[in-house]
Amino acid sequence: MIPLALALFGAGTPARADAAFDRWLAAQWPAAQAMGISRATFERETKGLEPDYSLPELAIPGKPQKPGVQAEFVQTPAAYLSDKAIGTYAARGRTLAGQYRGELAAIERQFGVPPSILLAIWARETSFGGAKLNYDALRVLATQAYVGRRKETFEAEFLAALKILDEGHVTRAQMKSSWAGALGLTQFMPTGYLKYGVDLDGDGTANIWTSVPEALAATASLLREEGWQPGKRWAYEITVPAGFDCTQAEPGTTLPISEWLKRGVRIADGRRLPPAALKDPASIILPAGPYGPAFLTPANYFVLKDYNFADLYVLYVGHLADRIEDDRPFAKGWSDIALVKTRDLEFMQQVLTRKGFYAEKIDGKAGMKTRAALGAYQKANGLPLDCWPDAQVLEHMKRGG
């Protein structure tokens, strides 16, 4: 067999590249057959299918990787959580909440997820359906399964997409996606669609493409499965006491909300704290370190992270949901700070790992655990403690600190 690298680029001929892909594609048939996908569907949908090597996140031998651009990781909190943009979406969300009042109420009765959260996810994912999804989903998924960084994951998604087509839930022409293969108004991967799709009108199809109620019901179904707690908030904006140890602002440090209040934490945004919530365990996050708001994060915060792992995404969705219900900005604003370059953050994570402060993925992102590890490094080296990846910490590490 011709090695993949040679098949793709050794001879440089499209014919050989296509032949290698065709062999890979043909090898997917036994798994497709085991899933009950008909041979007719398999042949029809894979005929003429070609990989798209322009996609991000591919691992092609000898070629530089083109990273996928996710706003959560390339924008500052001030830019991502733009008050103007969120205010505009909130106004539109209130209109849509009225338009779909009956359907949203029924979804909340069934799944326990409030309408505002579902509307906020719809807004963030596809701008209430206004975003253009121009990729052929099957081609995207096949390419990622063939030469992507997560081949096994995307093989399952590719087969699930074939299953969706085989069952007639949508046509190939309608199955458009993002560059990562996510489908529909609230952006489901195919396996997620098959698992969480909800047929509200009894027509045999969970229509996440053009039916707003069914797309939002699928989202509610997923959140419930991940542990959404009905009647509970996603987070509380807070102020922390003077001298608060920022290394405690990470998911592993969890206390009942009542205990945080005893330690000087205060609700900052004027929202009422129900007595029943005092027993709820929560952690604290400082998503912009000293340069933005702080939050108490109970269980529902982390359920939203199962939808999208980025903290800025969760803050956007949660805050927009709040604004749909009660149009108030954050109590504390976000400073427009400069982001540390990804390669510098990767270097910091490598140093933190080597020195025993960090045991997570080296990904160049200043997540909660990275920030807590930076704080531990600052403590150990007598640096000002703010758990933030600034130039002072970077320079100290480069000097071999």
Side-chain angles (χ1 to χ4, degrees), residues 343-361:
R343 64 174 179 270
D344 288 335
L345 265 170
E346 288 176 345
F347 170 76
M348 289 181 175
Q349 289 173 328
Q350 289 164 355
V351 171
L352 293 169
T353 299
R354 191 165 62 247
K355 293 184 176 294
F357 296 113
Y358 183 70
E360 306 297 322
K361 182 180 179 182

Side-chain angles (χ1 to χ4, degrees), residues 63-383:
K63 295 289 182 179
Q65 186 179 117
K66 178 181 176 183
V69 177
Q70 291 181 262
E72 293 85 3
F73 302 120
V74 299
Q75 292 183 348
T76 65
Y80 186 87
L81 295 160
S82 162
D83 185 73
K84 181 179 179 181
I86 289 178
T88 299
Y89 273 143
R92 175 68 175 147
R94 287 189 289 275
T95 299
L96 291 166
Q99 181 179 343
Y100 293 102
R101 180 174 287 107
E103 295 94 330
L104 287 165
I107 292 169
E108 184 172 18
R109 285 193 298 271
Q110 184 173 354
F111 298 105
V113 183
S116 59
I117 289 288
L118 302 177
L119 291 167
I121 289 174
W122 181 22
R124 181 66 258 179
E125 292 293 346
T126 62
S127 190
F128 293 125
K132 300 300 181 185
L133 303 175
N134 296 322
Y135 289 91
D136 176 350
L138 201 66
R139 188 183 187 197
V140 166
L141 298 167
T143 304
Q144 294 288 357
Y146 179 50
V147 288
R149 292 189 301 111
R150 296 178 292 150
K151 294 183 178 66
E152 290 185 6
T153 295
F154 277 97
E155 280 185 11
E157 299 298 346
F158 171 70
L159 292 168
L162 285 173
K163 184 72 172 175
I164 292 169
L165 293 168
D166 188 59
E167 293 181 351
H169 295 289
V170 68
T171 67
R172 174 75 174 278
Q174 294 169 323
M175 191 187 272
K176 299 297 183 182
S177 74
S178 68
W179 62 260
L183 311 169
L185 296 172
T186 52
Q187 292 289 272
F188 272 78
M189 295 305 289
T191 55
Y193 169 83
L194 291 174
K195 184 174 182 179
Y196 299 113
V198 179
D199 176 14
L200 294 176
D201 59 13
D203 69 352
T205 294
N207 180 3
I208 64 170
W209 292 273
T210 60
S211 169
V212 170
E214 292 191 346
L216 298 185
T219 300
S221 174
L222 183 156
L223 293 176
R224 182 185 66 175
E225 182 70 18
E226 295 297 339
W228 183 270
Q229 297 182 358
K232 302 287 188 179
R233 277 189 58 74
W234 67 280
Y236 296 92
E237 187 182 349
I238 58 171
T239 59
V240 296
F244 176 75
D245 183 348
C246 60
T247 62
Q248 294 185 338
E250 57 93 21
T253 304
T254 301
L255 296 169
I257 290 177
S258 60
E259 183 61 29
W260 284 120
L261 296 179
K262 290 177 184 177
R263 298 186 182 198
V265 169
R266 295 290 179 262
I267 306 299
D269 62 3
R271 297 182 193 278
R272 188 179 69 86
L273 183 65
L278 292 172
K279 297 180 181 179
D280 293 342
S283 51
I284 288 177
I285 66 164
L286 303 169
Y291 306 108
F295 300 89
L296 265 179
T297 55
N300 282 345
Y301 181 92
F302 296 95
V303 173
L304 290 175
K305 277 179 74 75
D306 287 325
Y307 208 92
N308 184 308
F309 193 72
D311 288 303
L312 287 185
Y313 177 94
V314 178
L315 291 169
Y316 192 108
V317 165
H319 183 57
L320 175 53
D322 286 347
R323 296 280 294 271
I324 289 171
E325 294 181 359
D326 182 1
D327 197 13
R328 282 186 278 170
F330 289 113
K332 180 178 179 179
W334 302 88
S335 299
D336 197 6
I337 52 180
L339 292 179
V340 176
K341 293 178 180 178
T342 298
R343 64 174 179 270
D344 288 335
L345 265 170
E346 288 176 345
F347 170 76
M348 289 181 175
Q349 289 173 328
Q350 289 164 355
V351 171
L352 293 169
T353 299
R354 191 165 62 247
K355 293 184 176 294
F357 296 113
Y358 183 70
E360 306 297 322
K361 182 180 179 182
I362 306 296
D363 60 4
K365 300 177 177 68
M368 288 185 280
K369 292 189 176 182
T370 296
R371 296 195 299 270
L374 283 164
Y377 178 91
Q378 289 171 326
K379 283 183 178 182
N381 290 277
L383 299 173

Side-chain angles (χ1 to χ4, degrees), residues 4-5 7-9 13-14 16-22 50-61 63-66 139-140 142-144 146-148:
L4 176 61
L8 288 172
F9 297 106
T13 60
R16 291 185 72 183
D18 290 344
F21 176 74
D22 287 345
E50 296 179 350
D52 180 357
Y53 294 127
S54 71
L55 292 174
E57 303 286 316
L58 302 183
I60 301 173
K63 295 289 182 179
Q65 186 179 117
K66 178 181 176 183
R139 188 183 187 197
V140 166
T143 304
Q144 294 288 357
Y146 179 50
V147 288

